């Protein structure tokens, strides 16, 4: 853990290699996230949900809505990479999505349900994948000329899960909630 409020689990560093054992750990992180996220926000009132996790940061509510938004995109990117040859994926403006009315004021229960559904499907897909599938790639327009293997993407979303969960749990610790 880090004292950096923006990156409480540190910044993501792509691994040099991802073993089958690493993938299993990453999949476990994804499988556990819906339950852990639900636990992280359990008992929070509306004012607490609308508290930013850091100065000038998103509120807890926005973080909860952001995670399934992001992970739905990731799940679709996996499916694209598994069915197309090195596709160019479409980025999205996550900061703008976090400002939309459903993310700013919607009940977190709907995004917790969405996160659970996406993760059940995603983990099912991941567990059926072998080495050849994890070696498949996509291209991100913000990283021109680089093909990103799905094994690295899996590592990144395991980090992403821990990253945003820590935003909430560390805020709760600091605030004594």
């Amino acid at each position: 853990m880090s004292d950096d409020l923006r990156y409480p689990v540190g910044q993501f560093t792509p691994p040099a290699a991802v073993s089958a054992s690493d993938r299993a750990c990453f999949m476990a992180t994804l499988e556990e996230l819906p339950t852990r996220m639900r636990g992280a926000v359990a008992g929070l009132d509306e004012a607490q949900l609308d508290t930013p996790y850091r100065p000038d940061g998103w509120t807890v509510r926005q973080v909860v809505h952001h995670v399934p938004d992001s992970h739905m995109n990731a799940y679709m990117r996996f499916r694209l990479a598994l069915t197309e040859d090195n596709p160019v994926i479409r980025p999205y403006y996550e900061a703008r999505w976090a400002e939309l009315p459903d993310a700013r004021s919607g009940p977190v229960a709907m995004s917790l349900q969405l996160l659970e559904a996406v993760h059940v499907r995603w983990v099912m897909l991941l567990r059926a994948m072998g080495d050849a599938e994890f070696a498949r790639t996509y291209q991100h327009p913000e990283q021109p000329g680089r093909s990103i293997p799905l094994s690295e993407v899996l590592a990144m979303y395991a980090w992403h899960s821990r990253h945003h969960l820590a935003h909430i749990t560390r805020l709760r610790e600091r605030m004594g909630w």
Side-chain angles (χ1 to χ4, degrees):
M1 286 289 190
S2 165
D3 291 331
D4 183 344
L5 297 181
R6 187 165 182 204
Y7 295 103
V9 299
Q11 293 191 41
F12 176 70
T13 302
V18 178
S19 69
S21 175
D22 293 332
R23 291 192 315 247
C25 289
F26 299 148
M27 285 183 240
T29 297
L30 292 177
E31 185 174 38
E32 296 164 3
L33 180 64
T35 300
R36 295 187 73 200
M37 183 68 75
R38 192 175 295 279
V41 298
L44 295 181
D45 62 29
E46 294 298 306
Q48 291 166 327
L49 289 170
D50 291 328
T51 301
Y53 73 87
R54 67 176 173 88
D56 300 318
W58 288 342
T59 65
V60 171
R61 183 185 312 273
Q62 287 171 299
V63 170
V64 172
H65 291 310
H66 161 73
V67 173
D69 286 348
S70 174
H71 291 200
M72 282 188 300
N73 275 285
Y75 171 63
M76 296 308 296
R77 291 168 178 177
F78 265 77
R79 295 177 67 80
L80 288 169
L82 290 168
T83 59
E84 300 176 21
D85 291 328
N86 198 29
V88 177
I89 57 100
R90 187 180 189 293
Y92 70 102
Y93 296 106
E94 64 182 35
R96 292 180 190 173
W97 283 36
E99 294 301 324
L100 292 172
D102 61 327
R104 290 203 54 83
S105 62
V108 296
M110 66 182 174
S111 282
L112 293 170
Q113 291 171 339
L114 184 56
L115 183 66
E116 184 174 352
V118 168
H119 278 239
V120 166
R121 290 252 342 242
W122 195 9
V123 170
M124 177 185 274
L125 176 65
L126 292 168
R127 288 210 170 116
M129 292 170 59
D131 293 341
E133 288 84 14
F134 279 106
R136 293 187 63 88
T137 60
Y138 66 64
Q139 296 176 57
H140 195 296
E142 294 171 1
Q143 298 180 36
R146 181 168 183 261
S147 295
I148 306 167
L150 291 180
S151 59
E152 179 182 319
V153 179
L154 175 60
M156 182 180 65
Y157 279 94
W159 168 85
H160 188 259
S161 298
R162 294 187 326 274
H163 169 71
H164 285 303
L165 188 63
H167 283 151
I168 298 167
T169 58
R170 296 287 296 273
L171 173 66
R172 288 190 78 147
E173 289 169 10
R174 288 192 316 274
M175 301 297 284
W177 297 340

